[in-house]
Amino acid sequence: MAPYLYIAPCILLMGLFVYYPIVENFRFAFYEFSAFAPDKVFVGFENFLALFQDEVFYIALKNNIWYAIISIVCQVFGGLVLAAILEDPLTRLFSGFFRTAFFLPVIISITVIALLFSFVYNPDIGILNSFLRLLGLEEWTRAWLGESETAIFAVIAVSQWQSIGYIMMLFIVAIQSIPQELYEAADIDGANKFYKFLHITVPQVKEMLFVATLITLTGAFTVFNEPYILTSGGPGNASEVLGTLLYKSAFFRDEMGYASAIATIILLLSLAVAIIQMKLFKTGKED
């Protein structure tokens, strides 16, 4: 009985602040109601049907998928490569400086970073356009956050810059736990760095790869701060994501049932991603 008493507070808090809101949100998705009125009208699946007929929903979903794909490439793959380079004996002398440089954006508020990049992307005085003009690439300059073709990718780039240091540090911890005997044996066999990275480092950090991928993908489908602060989903709806669509539905249009339906879709997508990842990254140690 004693073990159950020890974990009872944790179970109680998890149930109260995690699972109960999820169940309530799922229930609210079947109602039409206002945040300022107590009455709720049961509408069945109408909120979900309206959502699937809303073209903005598909724009937001496509942007979230872009977010996920680019985040996997830049944060997970890029973070692993950076960690492997910084843990290499040849670069370890300078790794302290580069670890700090890459990790510094992680501890800065995303609001501050988003405001900073709104200046970087400024079409007239921004650093990015000034740099392109300096290189003679005048035709490449544009209003990065003001054009529908570039707005979402400009926003995604900010997230990659801010988050890659965190994922890199996770991989550094994982790489440091790899037995050095494996690398020494590979050196004796004449293996080059690329072979050691592919056949020793990557398999040995597989569990961390799962964690990093899970963090990155769930973050990509729940992202809100960067697109909302930088573009508010614009121009038009070009950089809309599910998080900003949910926020506008709930707090601008007061469509709480519709917003609950969006939140339910985000939850289901995150669950699906997590289940697929658990299948793909199964190591055999789970049992």
Side-chain angles (χ1 to χ4, degrees), residues 32 54 58 62 66 68 70 94 132 143 145 190 220 257:
E32 184 178 297
D54 186 351
Y58 292 102
K62 184 189 72 175
W66 270 119
I70 295 173
F94 307 101
L132 291 172
L145 296 174

Side-chain angles (χ1 to χ4, degrees), residues 93-105:
L93 184 63
F94 307 101
S95 66
F97 169 77
F98 286 107
R99 281 185 205 177
T100 305
F102 282 113
F103 193 74
L104 196 58

